[in-house]
Amino acid sequence: TQYSFKEVFGTLVVQKELFDVVAKPLVEDLIRGKNGLLFTYGVTGSGKTHTMTGSPGDGGLLPRCLDMIFNSIGPFQAKRFVFKLDDKNGVDVQCEVDALLERQKRDAMPVPKTPSGKRQIDPEFADMINVQDHCKVEEVDEDNVYSVFVSYIEIYNNYIYDLLEEAPFDPIKPKWNNCNTPVRNGDFIPPQSKILREDQNHNMYVTGCTEVEVKSTEEAFEVFWRGQKKRRIANTQLNRESSRSHSVFIIKLAQAPLDADGDNVLQEKEQITLSQLSLVDLAGSERTNRTKAEGNRLREAGNINQSLMTLRTCIEVLRENQMYGTNKMVPYRDSKLTHLFKNYFDGEGKVRMIVCVNPKAEDYEESLQVMRFAEMTQEVEVARPVDRPLCGLTPGRRFRNQAFREELSRKLEMRGGPINGETEEQSVSEMFLQNLPPLPSCELLDINDDQTLPKLIEVLEKRHKLRQMLSEEFAKNVLAFKTMLQDFDSSVVSKENYIQGKLSEKEKTIAGQKMELERLEKKIKTLEYKIEILEKTATIYEEDKRNLQQELESQSQKLQRQASDKRRLEARLQGMVAETTMKWEKECERRVAAKQLEMQNKLWVKDEKLKQLKAIVTEPKNEKPERPSRERDREKPVQRSVSPTPVPNAPPVRLRHRRSRSAGERWVDHKPPSNLPTETVMQPHVPHAITVAAASEKALAKCDKYMLTHQELASDGEIETKLIKGDVFKTRGGGQAVQFTEIETLKQESPTGRKRRSSPSNPDPPKDAADPEWTDVETRCSVAVEMRAGSALGPGYQHHAQPK
């Protein structure tokens, strides 16, 4: 199985390489005012938390993102509380005075202060944030001021909790009923969860969530570490520290331009840009039959799998809407995880997903499902938002103001003290008064004094003449200055006219270029639209091709299965035919042999009867007919009946060791329930016998001898009892075999009702009738009867043993 991804990292990849490829573009977009979402996805124990947080000496994606942000905006950060977040996912800007009052007010409050960058770093995470790369964004707007706010939440059992709350995180408080008594059954109040709301820009946010303003990487990571200690983890059979919740670390960056002087923040809320980067550590999907979870762990695993399934469903619906042009409703509200990041999936930011795969063989099937879902998410495309317009102020005003201040301070240092316009004007007036003739004494001591007044008049006239000369010179200078100003104005006007002409030419050129750009943009849009249509068509064709290939494969597999089933059925039928043929051949042979035996017995009986009839007919009438003795008949050569053909491959009967007669022999006395009592004086008596109504393997296994009591009706109407005896042997198949040895006949006759055989009134029996009086003992004693293990049949049903 193969899956395609934009980038694949090996097991030896370092955190820096992963950060440069995956997270660095998201940080650059954050500083440019765009949103971003980065989350890790995979089965439990695959390394998602390690990828996000890192390890001592090798920080993960989160500390590297923080370090890059503060390296980029470090010299351009605003003071604390210049930016102030409101409760509706917005941000306000305050002047320096309000921010100073806010800082003094917060310092006076007894609440714990936010971490300071000058404090000593906690050694528990000092190695994680000790990043020596000094990575930063190259193009940062130097005329803006920035502030960073962080928050940390977790989604546990589909509830949102704030990990930065100063109150006890998980208070154990029993519920109280109306009687002011605790509720029974150990029921406790869960921690207070947060509510999701939608702001005026249709973005989702968590109400009442703690958002801390930070000024350094150490300060931000200390806030993260404080919340990380409150995150819910548990020990399972697959992971010693398994995350039982989805954690979301949100970094908000507020930025606003400086005013025209480059000194203070522009007090316009419309010019504030608020962007955020969400770093999500998803809990791993797990199977309860592997983790052996019970109780709370089982409920947590169910909620985790349900939220991940909702995420997968949302992605599939988005993909279907884009590929087939449908307008199905995406089920964002089925899970708090998808509801929180709804605006990202709708196009309000860039989304990146890191798929963590565990190479263990036990996780093979789950890893395949994870990679299949991750490959499908690449086909989802979201619309990107348009960049916000610029504020319209002159760029570079911050550094120009800074350079002016440096130059002014340098000149003041050169002159040795502060110089302003009032001192210069005062010194010019003093110099002007010093150039005039001094006034004489105006004190009159004598009424007849005629010298003081003339001297005063003379001095005043001189001062008046000097003043007139100065005023004339000043008027000349003013006239010359006016002339110079007029000349300067005329030169400026001529230059302005020249510049206006040049500007009009440039504007015409720019207008032509803009028209060309608009034409090219329209052409680009048209081509992009055509490309999009072609891509969608190609995607549809590829999907149809994939479906047809799958259908073809399924049909070919079905045909192969049918062919294999057909071959298997043919082989089975051939075996059944061969087995049935062999069975019927054996049965026919057995029946033919049995029929031959029966016909031979009938012929032999008829021959014997004919012999006896001939002897009776030929003997003299006055002589008593002599019945041939059994010994004489036995001496006569009798034609043996043909035994049935033995079954091929039948195992020979293994003769077991017979016990000595001194130990005593046990008999199986088989008396069928259909036998009638004879009530004769002499009855067969068998010592040490087990009397049974039907022969069984259990009875035969305990005995060495077998006797069957058989009754039939003779030709004269009397009951004839036959005792068929035999030896019991153990067969190779585990059953018992009986080999008949002899037959005893017990017959009861009535003296008054007996008829002579030589009587002519007795007609000859039909030739094909079988006389039960004569028995081929020798033939019957050569046939063995086997009792199979577990068989319910009696003796005489089978002639030969079959191996199991």
Side-chain angles (χ1 to χ4, degrees), residues 78-237:
K79 295 182 179 180
R80 289 186 188 272
F81 306 114
V82 171
F83 292 98
K84 185 177 181 181
L85 299 178
D86 56 17
D87 296 334
K88 297 180 180 180
N89 202 30
V91 60
D92 296 326
V93 61
Q94 300 184 121
C95 61
E96 293 290 341
V97 178
D98 294 337
L100 179 61
L101 294 176
E102 187 76 17
R103 288 194 295 271
Q104 293 176 355
K105 182 180 178 181
R106 292 296 178 94
D107 292 339
M109 292 177 64
V111 296
K113 299 179 182 179
T114 57
S116 176
K118 298 181 180 179
R119 293 175 51 187
Q120 186 176 3
I121 304 175
D122 190 351
E124 188 176 4
F125 59 85
D127 293 338
M128 293 186 182
I129 60 175
N130 187 16
V131 182
Q132 303 295 334
D133 299 336
H134 300 290
C135 182
K136 66 178 182 178
V137 180
E138 297 297 333
E139 298 178 359
V140 180
D141 193 352
E142 300 168 347
D143 294 321
N144 286 359
V145 290
Y146 303 87
S147 286
V148 179
F149 300 86
V150 296
S151 58
Y152 198 16
I153 61 174
E154 73 169 352
I155 303 175
Y156 175 73
N157 286 339
N158 209 23
Y159 290 98
I160 299 176
Y161 300 101
D162 186 5
L163 295 177
L164 301 181
E165 278 186 337
E166 297 296 338
F169 178 70
D170 195 6
I172 306 300
K173 297 179 180 179
K175 289 184 178 180
W176 297 81
N177 53 22
N178 296 330
C179 300
N180 293 328
T181 57
V183 178
R184 299 173 64 184
N185 300 328
D187 199 357
F188 295 97
I189 297 177
Q192 184 65 34
S193 63
K194 303 298 180 182
I195 302 175
L196 279 177
R197 296 191 185 277
E198 190 174 11
D199 61 6
Q200 60 182 0
N201 296 324
H202 306 289
N203 295 325
M204 304 306 299
Y205 69 98
V206 182
T207 58
C209 180
T210 304
E211 294 177 315
V212 182
E213 185 178 5
V214 291
K215 295 298 179 183
S216 64
T217 305
E218 295 80 6
E219 187 178 350
F221 199 80
E222 186 174 351
V223 173
F224 164 76
W225 199 254
R226 189 177 68 199
Q228 185 74 2
K229 293 179 179 179
K230 297 180 181 180
R231 189 183 177 189
R232 290 174 172 89
I233 59 175
N235 185 11
T236 63
Q237 290 194 4

Side-chain angles (χ1 to χ4, degrees), residues 610-625:
L610 288 174
K611 288 178 182 180
Q612 292 179 6
L613 183 60
K614 182 178 180 181
I616 293 172
V617 171
T618 57
E619 69 181 357
K621 293 183 180 180
N622 55 356
E623 292 182 2
K624 186 178 180 179

Side-chain angles (χ1 to χ4, degrees), residues 37-40 52 247-249 278-282 337 341:
L37 171 63
L38 173 64
F39 59 93
T40 56
M52 188 64 68
S247 67
V248 183
F249 188 74
S278 300
L279 304 176
V280 185
D281 182 14
L282 296 177
L337 178 66
F341 300 116

Side-chain angles (χ1 to χ4, degrees), residues 322 561 581:
Q322 290 183 3
R561 286 195 299 268
T581 304

Side-chain angles (χ1 to χ4, degrees), residues 676-692:
L676 298 176
T678 57
E679 297 180 358
T680 58
V681 177
M682 297 183 66
Q683 294 285 343
H685 175 68
V686 183
H688 306 290
I690 299 175
T691 304
V692 295

Side-chain angles (χ1 to χ4, degrees), residues 606-655:
K606 287 181 180 181
D607 291 342
E608 290 296 325
K609 286 184 179 181
L610 288 174
K611 288 178 182 180
Q612 292 179 6
L613 183 60
K614 182 178 180 181
I616 293 172
V617 171
T618 57
E619 69 181 357
K621 293 183 180 180
N622 55 356
E623 292 182 2
K624 186 178 180 179
E626 182 179 354
R627 186 176 181 177
S629 63
R630 187 177 298 273
E631 288 77 8
R632 194 181 310 166
D633 293 339
R634 290 181 179 175
E635 291 175 0
K636 293 180 180 180
V638 180
Q639 184 179 1
R640 293 180 177 270
S641 62
V642 181
S643 300
T645 306
V647 180
N649 299 329
V653 177
R654 181 186 299 176
L655 299 179

